Amino acid sequence: MSAVTANAPQTSNQLARPSLPQVDSCTVIIFGASGDLSKRKLMSALFNLACEGCTGRDFNVLGVGRTGMSDDDFRAQMRAAVAGASDTRDFTDERWKEFASRLNYLTGDPSSDGVHEEIATRLDEMNQVEADLTSRNHLFYLSTPPSVAGTIIEGLGAAGLASEEKGWSRIIVEKPFGRDLESARELNEKLARVFGEHQVYRIDHFLGKETVQNLLVFRFGNSMFEPFWNRNYVDYVEITAAETLGVGARAAFYEETGALRDMIANHLLQVLTLTAMEPPVAFDADAVRDKKVEVLRSMRPMTSAEATKRTIRAQYTASEVNGERVPGYRDEKNVAAASQVETFAAVQFQIDNWRWAGVPFYVRAGKRLNRKVTEVAVHLKRTPQALFAHTHKGESNVHDIEPNIIVMQIQPCEAIRISFGAKLPGVEMETATVELAFNYEANFHRSSPAAYETLLLDVMQGDATLFTRRDEVEEQWRLITPIEEAWAIDGASPVVSYAAGTDGPAQADALLARNGHVWRTLNGDPKQHR
């Protein structure tokens, strides 16, 4: 396939990293600070923000975790993590020394009753020792298993740490936000008893990615695209999140969660709402989230019979990938020998509103597939007449020009591609599908900021636009819980298999085939329409 590259103007402003705003300083209290998320993502994001001058002179971090450590031990551990993190920018010993002076640690079980009083005492001590260098604004980050979230929230309330009498107090809650509609409502009730909704930031790191945010700019900032973004021109929409890795060390977590809860119930439904929503009246938190909720409310929960027809669940089996033998899911450590947990899920959603009636939204997520890619592909309808359906040999081929496709790739590289038909050079009327491509890094000559960096900065600014509101969470589970319940019925929707390193199970292809549709191959090559 040939490609046409969209080139952005080369200016000095584009070559330099844009200046970031300086926000109100705060003390970030990380529950589970010795854990994997803190090491891989949170600390490098905070380091980058501090080095950019965003966080102010009285910014501090207080880590809380079960692992017994001194402040110096914690700093040494975080130094190794930040220095080795792929998202870290411009790491030097001098920059680390300045940042490390802001790191503190408290040994304690985040789910125990007494630790919250210890946190309050430690924060008071920090203010007394460094009265002009410690902020009264508090940002609590729950980097902990969902099972202890409720206990932590209640403890913060009992210790008076949710109060905004002396400064703002905000809490970030990591997904999953419950495991079904009932538990999501319970978690939301606990949050509401302690914090105001304006203080709560339910984080979904997908919403911090540039291309996800650019869905709104692409649709509503360009007059050429919005007119055909509806059922009159769109045939179907694919949303894909494919990974090449297996469950690995996350097997115990996955046994409780599965692909549907892990990816589709939050990340991919959020992407779906941004793809399908109506124009908001303003780019602010309430206006954007109101429109996202409207999309979710336009989608009917499936009956058991509908879930059997419109969903697929599968597990990867052992296979050879790139010359290496990889185990099947049931062979992974901490996985039950007869596990029925899905590592791949595909769902056909329908949006019953004026804009999207009759347009299927196919969503799939899976592990141990043949390529890592996350993307949205909007397939447009064919032209009403096949004007160029005959080759120069006179043979009829109504599929000579493939339908136009708009692809917004979220990872591994952030890009937007549009395919269209063009005439091949020569005297005969021969056609081919070509591509107009835009790549963030290639065109702007800088990499996009890490998702957690963007989202942490937004929380410090009090901007909740890219965070999930209470009613969004409950509407998502309203759609996902009936599918989980249908899958729990023996024989209703059996777990099928797919070989590791493939595009997924054949049954997922059949899900689309009955509507005359096909998935894009994960390596990006177009499949021919049936």
Side-chain angles (χ1 to χ4, degrees):
M1 180 179 287
S2 60
V4 182
T5 302
N7 292 312
Q10 305 293 309
T11 69
S12 59
N13 286 338
Q14 288 173 323
L15 297 177
R17 180 167 293 279
S19 58
L20 297 175
Q22 182 171 343
V23 299
D24 292 340
S25 288
C26 63
T27 298
V28 180
I29 300 94
I30 302 176
F31 290 93
S34 58
D36 184 58
L37 178 63
S38 181
K39 293 175 183 176
R40 287 189 304 107
K41 298 294 183 181
L42 301 185
M43 207 57 65
S44 62
L46 292 171
F47 173 81
N48 289 340
L49 291 175
C51 290
E52 294 282 0
C54 299
T55 53
R57 64 191 297 268
D58 51 350
F59 165 76
N60 284 278
V61 176
L62 175 61
V64 181
R66 291 190 179 97
T67 304
M69 283 189 285
S70 65
D71 288 351
D72 287 340
D73 292 337
F74 179 60
R75 291 163 184 162
Q77 192 176 102
M78 292 303 107
R79 186 191 192 284
V82 172
S86 60
D87 296 332
T88 301
R89 294 191 302 273
D90 306 325
F91 184 91
T92 65
D93 288 338
E94 184 178 351
R95 288 184 173 209
W96 176 255
K97 184 178 179 180
E98 163 61 22
F99 180 72
S101 67
R102 304 169 184 270
L103 300 185
N104 308 273
Y105 188 78
L106 174 66
T107 301
D109 183 348
S111 63
S112 68
D113 294 333
V115 73
H116 307 94
E117 293 292 345
E118 292 182 49
I119 293 170
T121 300
R122 184 68 176 269
L123 292 173
D124 284 341
E125 290 172 352
M126 291 166 63
N127 275 301
Q128 291 168 10
V129 172
E130 300 178 281
D132 61 338
L133 293 176
T134 304
S135 174
R136 291 285 186 174
N137 298 322
H138 297 150
L139 170 54
F140 300 98
Y141 200 116
L142 272 58
S143 178
T144 56
S147 57
V148 302
T151 304
I152 295 173
I153 292 162
E154 291 169 344
L156 292 173
L161 291 171
S163 170
E164 297 194 290
E165 183 179 348
K166 296 180 180 179
W168 56 252
S169 179
R170 296 166 187 160
I171 184 169
I172 298 178
V173 183
E174 274 280 350
K175 67 93 176 172
F177 314 115
R179 56 178 289 107
D180 54 22
L181 181 56
E182 182 181 358
S183 60
R185 284 173 173 164
E186 289 176 359
L187 179 59
N188 281 333
E189 285 299 322
K190 288 181 179 179
L191 281 164
R193 285 195 291 267
V194 177
F195 293 92
E197 182 64 25
H198 72 281
Q199 297 173 273
V200 180
Y201 292 77
R202 299 170 187 85
I203 194 168
D204 185 332
H205 73 270
F206 260 49
L207 298 186
K209 295 180 180 293
E210 287 286 326
T211 306
V212 175
Q213 298 173 61
N214 200 46
L215 274 167
L216 298 178
V217 178
F218 183 82
R219 288 190 54 198
F220 305 129
N222 299 289
S223 59
M224 65 187 296
F225 300 117
E226 178 59 20
F228 62 74
W229 210 263
N230 56 61
R231 60 185 169 82
N232 295 321
Y233 296 93
V234 176
D235 190 12
Y236 65 103
V237 178
E238 290 178 66
I239 301 175
T240 295
E243 299 178 71
T244 56
L245 297 176
V247 294
R250 300 180 73 219
F253 164 80
Y254 226 75
E255 277 288 271
E256 295 182 4
T257 308
L260 184 67
R261 286 190 178 102
D262 184 41
M263 294 296 296
I264 296 178
N266 38 75
H267 297 327
L268 300 190
L269 274 179
Q270 284 291 307
V271 173
L272 183 152
T273 60
L274 291 172
T275 305
M277 63 185 272
E278 295 297 323
V281 295
F283 188 66
D284 62 38
D286 283 336
V288 171
R289 294 188 294 185
D290 284 347
K291 294 303 180 182
K292 288 162 64 183
V293 170
E294 284 181 10
V295 174
L296 295 170
R297 288 177 177 165
S298 299
M299 300 164 69
R300 288 183 296 105
M302 296 183 199
T303 64
S304 294
E306 288 172 330
T308 300
K309 291 176 57 178
R310 289 165 45 192
T311 68
I312 298 294
R313 56 176 175 156
Q315 286 180 355
Y316 61 83
T317 57
S319 183
E320 189 170 291
V321 179
N322 297 325
E324 178 185 352
R325 189 72 179 174
V326 299
Y329 177 68
R330 293 179 183 177
D331 302 320
E332 301 275 14
K333 185 179 180 181
N334 296 322
V335 172
S339 175
Q340 295 296 298
V341 173
E342 77 284 356
T343 62
F344 176 100
V347 181
Q348 176 188 335
F349 290 110
Q350 299 290 151
I351 303 175
D352 296 326
N353 63 15
W354 187 271
R355 182 183 290 265
W356 296 113
V359 178
F361 280 70
Y362 302 107
V363 178
R364 61 176 169 170
K367 290 188 172 294
R368 280 288 186 215
L369 298 173
N370 72 7
R371 180 173 175 242
K372 178 178 180 175
V373 62
T374 302
E375 66 179 26
V376 179
V378 179
H379 296 251
L380 302 185
K381 294 180 178 179
R382 292 188 178 277
T383 55
Q385 287 184 299
L387 297 177
F388 308 106
H390 297 277
T391 68
H392 68 284
K393 295 180 181 179
E395 298 170 350
S396 179
N397 180 6
V398 295
H399 294 162
D400 196 37
I401 297 180
E402 286 296 303
N404 305 128
I405 305 174
I406 300 171
V407 178
M408 287 155 283
Q409 186 170 295
I410 299 167
Q411 59 184 17
C413 62
E414 295 179 304
I416 299 175
R417 298 189 299 276
I418 302 173
S419 68
F420 58 96
K423 180 185 176 299
L424 288 171
V427 297
E428 301 290 346
M429 181 56 76
E430 294 183 89
T431 61
T433 299
V434 296
E435 192 173 78
L436 184 70
F438 162 76
N439 179 287
Y440 272 81
E441 190 166 353
N443 284 271
F444 292 127
H445 299 275
R446 60 171 180 259
S447 58
S448 302
Y452 278 98
E453 193 175 330
T454 298
L455 295 172
L456 284 167
L457 187 62
D458 279 356
V459 178
M460 293 175 190
Q461 294 183 96
D463 184 353
T465 305
L466 300 178
F467 294 83
T468 311
R469 201 167 61 190
R470 172 178 179 161
D471 51 351
E472 281 184 82
V473 170
E474 294 181 11
E475 288 297 332
Q476 287 173 174
W477 281 118
R478 184 182 63 88
L479 300 172
I480 297 299
T481 299
I483 298 174
E484 292 283 358
E485 291 173 345
W487 285 358
I489 301 172
D490 288 341
S493 184
V495 178
V496 297
S497 63
Y498 62 99
T502 66
D503 271 18
Q507 290 85 347
D509 293 336
L511 181 69
L512 275 67
R514 66 168 178 260
N515 295 324
H517 301 150
V518 293
W519 296 107
R520 282 168 48 83
T521 59
L522 295 182
N523 63 13
D525 294 334
K527 290 183 178 179
Q528 294 296 314
H529 282 61
R530 291 176 173 84

